[in-house]
Amino acid sequence: MKSPLIALVTRSLASAVAPIAFLSIALSVPALAANLELAVDPAAAEPVKFVAEEIRREAAANGMTLVNEAIAPRVVLSVEKVAGAAAESYRMRVQTEAGRRIITVLGADAAGAMYGGLDVAEAIRTGTLDSLKDSDHRPHLPRRGIKFNCPLDERTPTYESNKGDAEFRNVLTMWGMNFWKAQIDELARSRYNCLSLWNMHPFPSMVRVPGYEDAALTDVVSTTERAKCPWTKRSPFGAR
């Protein structure tokens, strides 16, 4: 059964193309232009929405305010499928039209547009937006990820040796969607696209096999709290 966590990762690879809406952001960073217009599709796939928020977040962190200024430099995030383009690749094109600087990110898919947008967000953070130039990007590795040992319950620890207490103190954390959202967001910022979940024994806490329901635990045990097993709630491993 596909879990909400895996569905979330899968949706991050989807792509969408629709009419573009515009938002303007004023920059107060001296090294950057006075204002910036961000053009992003409000009906875009989740990765594009995510990176649009990243750009807005970096803008706010640098004292930027929203304005409506047609002469401001523009950043455009878009998905443009090109035959033969590698998955998650993107092109960045910088041009000047009527004295106006336009930075366009053309993703081969939604993930590619996200990665290009992250370049823009990082340039805002580091004050190097003006140094962006034409460039083409494609992944060197199609799968980039981490192996994550999940301490789901004290009775089924993720390590053979129980010499430390880190796993036990984070059991309940593993069952919170806030943790997984923050973790997956950080993976996206680091350009990872794969999350491998590991546990010594998946049957008690990760799956419930028809005909072997009694092998699954009915609650969650940690060093500090005993919690009702959230199978019927929205959890990383879903309803079982």
Side-chain angles (χ1 to χ4, degrees), residues 70-87:
I71 62 173
R74 175 193 283 183
V75 172
V76 181
L77 305 178
S78 64
V79 175
E80 182 179 282
K81 295 185 177 181
V82 177

Side-chain angles (χ1 to χ4, degrees), residues 11-234:
R11 286 199 302 272
S12 74
L13 303 179
S15 62
V17 180
I20 292 176
F22 301 101
L23 289 174
S24 296
I25 304 175
L27 308 185
S28 62
V29 180
L32 301 178
N35 304 296
L36 180 71
E37 182 180 35
L38 172 64
V40 59
D41 172 14
E46 290 301 320
V48 182
K49 293 179 181 178
F50 168 76
V51 80
E53 287 303 315
E54 290 291 292
I55 292 174
R56 296 184 185 105
R57 183 172 62 84
E58 292 296 345
N62 286 277
M64 305 173 188
T65 56
L66 295 174
V67 296
N68 183 13
E69 205 168 273
I71 62 173
R74 175 193 283 183
V75 172
V76 181
L77 305 178
S78 64
V79 175
E80 182 179 282
K81 295 185 177 181
V82 177
E88 301 183 345
S89 63
Y90 63 94
R91 294 171 291 151
M92 187 173 294
R93 295 294 180 262
V94 181
Q95 58 186 358
T96 300
E97 293 183 0
R100 186 185 197 187
R101 193 164 186 256
I102 301 175
I103 302 171
T104 304
V105 174
L106 301 166
D109 49 28
M114 177 183 70
Y115 293 139
L118 286 171
D119 285 356
V120 174
E122 291 167 0
I124 292 174
R125 183 173 69 248
T126 58
T128 57
L129 190 66
D130 289 341
S131 64
L132 292 179
K133 57 185 180 181
D134 287 2
S135 56
D136 295 344
H137 306 262
R138 59 181 296 165
H140 292 288
L141 297 172
R143 289 289 177 267
R144 309 169 303 280
I146 64 172
K147 174 182 180 289
F148 196 102
N149 295 314
C150 297
L152 301 176
D153 193 281
E154 282 191 15
R155 294 160 291 183
T156 56
T158 188
Y159 305 112
E160 290 187 25
S161 175
N162 300 329
K163 296 179 181 178
D165 63 355
E167 60 186 278
F168 299 124
R169 293 184 179 276
N170 286 283
V171 166
L172 296 186
T173 301
M174 294 296 96
W175 295 100
M177 286 302 295
N178 288 338
F179 166 79
W180 289 107
K181 183 181 185 305
Q183 176 72 11
I184 292 173
D185 285 353
E186 193 57 41
L187 289 175
R189 295 184 189 105
S190 300
R191 279 66 165 181
Y192 288 117
N193 64 0
C194 180
L195 175 60
S196 177
L197 304 178
W198 288 64
N199 190 269
M200 283 181 62
H201 200 315
F203 298 102
S205 301
M206 295 183 76
V207 297
R208 174 169 288 173
V209 180
Y212 299 89
E213 290 82 2
D214 291 342
L217 298 173
T218 58
D219 59 4
V220 175
V221 172
S222 75
T223 54
T224 58
E225 182 179 354
R226 188 180 184 91
K228 184 177 180 181
C229 209
W231 304 138
T232 59
K233 299 178 182 179
R234 187 183 180 190

